[in-house]
Amino acid sequence: MFLVVGEVIKLIFWLFCTSMIIGVLFNFILPKEKRTIGVTFLLGFLIYLAVFEVVAIYCMTTIMYSAFAYCVKYFLIASWILIVLGIGRVCYASFIKKDRDLIVSNKAIVMKITATKVYWLIFFGLLAFQLVMSVVMASFDGDDAYYVVESLLAQQADVMNTILPYTGNSTSLDIRHALAVITMWIGFIAKVSGVHATIVSHSVIPLLFIPLVYLVYAQIGKVLFKDKKEMVPVFLIIVSFLMMFGNVSHYTPATFFLMRTWQGKAMVGNLVFPMIFWIFLEMYENVKASNKEISVDKAGTSSVYLWIMLALVNMLSGMCSAMGVIFGSGIIVLLALLLLIFSRNWKVILGAFFCMIPNLIYLALYFSIWTSGM
C-alpha cells in the first residue's frame, strides 16, 4: 500500500509539480497579466521537456553503454537544479519581496465564472469522463509493440534505441525514431517512479496530456473571445464533443487524442499544432490597430516571450516526432507570413528565424547521423 502511494506521489511530482516549479522560475519573461497558473505551467512544461531532449539526444549519440542510465542521472541533476532555483524564487517573492505578483498574478487566480458556472461544470464533467475512460478503457494499438517497448527497454535495460523491440537483438541507433525521444521521457518517468513503462504509457500519460491539450484550447478561447470570456467554457465543450465523437476513422486527430494519447504523433497533432496557433493568435492580438506595429509593454517582453515559447514548442515537436518538425515549420512559415503582412514589421522575420533554429539543428543532426550510418 505504501509502495503504491509512494509511486503515485512520484508520478504527481515529476509530471505536474516539476513543470509548475520550473514555470515559476522562468515566468519572469511573461508580461504580468500573462503570469497565470495555466500559462506558467505550459512554459515550465516546455522548458522541462526541452532540457530532457537536449540531455537525451546527447547521451544517446555520445554514450555507447548504459546510455539511458547516464541520461537519467544527468537529467535528474539538471531538474533538481531548476527545482531548487524555482523554490528559491518562490521563497524570495513570498518572504523577502512579499509580492506574490512576481510568481502568479493575483488577477489570474480570480475565476470570473459567476454567469457560466454551469458551462464550466459541464466541461469539467466531460473532461473527468474522458480521463476515467482513458484509464479503464485503455485501447490496444499495434504500435505498442514498438514504441512502448522502447520505453520499457530504456527502463529495464538502460538502452536508448539500440535494441530492436520486435526481436530483442542489438542494433545500431535507429535514426528513424531515435531523435523522437518522447519514448525515452516516458521511460524516465517510469524509472524514477518505479511504475512499469507500459502502465505509464497507457494509464498515466493520458492523465497529463488530455488536460494539457484542453488547457491550450482554453488559452485559444481566451484570445478568440477576449471580450466575452463567458464563451470560453462553451468553446471547450464544443471542442470536447468534437474529440469524443471524432472517431470516424482510425487516423483522425480525435482518435489519436483519446485512444493513442501516449504516441508522439498524437501529441504533435493535438498539442503542438494548437500551441502554434495559440501563440500566433497572441501575436496578432499584440498588433496595434492604429499603426499596425507589434506592441511592446514597458518591460519590452510583450512579443519576445511568444517567440521564445514558439522555439520551445518547436523543440517539443521534434521530441514527439520528426514529422512535427516538417509540418510545424510549414505552419509557422505560413502564419509568420500572414503576421508580417498584417503587422508590416520586419522583426517578424527575425522572430520566425530565431524560433526555427531548433528545427534546423534537429534536421542537421538527423541527416548527419543518417549519412554517417551510426
Side-chain angles (χ1 to χ4, degrees), residues 25-83:
L25 175 62
F26 289 99
N27 75 346
F28 64 87
I29 71 172
L30 304 175
K32 185 171 291 187
E33 68 276 6
K34 293 296 182 181
R35 292 176 191 170
T36 63
I37 294 175
V39 176
T40 298
F41 182 85
L42 287 173
L43 176 63
F45 180 75
L46 290 172
I47 295 173
Y48 177 45
L49 290 189
V51 173
F52 179 83
E53 181 179 18
V54 172
V55 173
I57 291 178
Y58 170 78
C59 292
M60 183 170 53
T61 55
T62 60
I63 300 175
M64 183 173 297
Y65 301 107
S66 301
F68 187 71
Y70 284 99
C71 175
V72 171
K73 176 182 176 181
Y74 296 153
F75 185 61
L76 281 174
I77 294 173
S79 297
W80 278 113
I81 291 174
L82 295 176
I83 290 168

Side-chain angles (χ1 to χ4, degrees), residues 60 150 159-163 171-174 177-178 183-184:
M60 183 170 53
E150 286 286 16
V159 296
M160 301 180 75
N161 297 291
T162 54
I163 292 180
T171 182
S172 58
L173 186 64
D174 177 19
H177 304 95
T183 54
M184 298 298 104

Side-chain angles (χ1 to χ4, degrees), residues 6 99 111 119 127 135 175 218 226 230 239 246:
D99 182 7
M111 297 184 66
Y119 295 132
L127 175 60
V135 175
I175 185 56
K226 63 175 182 177
E230 65 273 10
V239 172

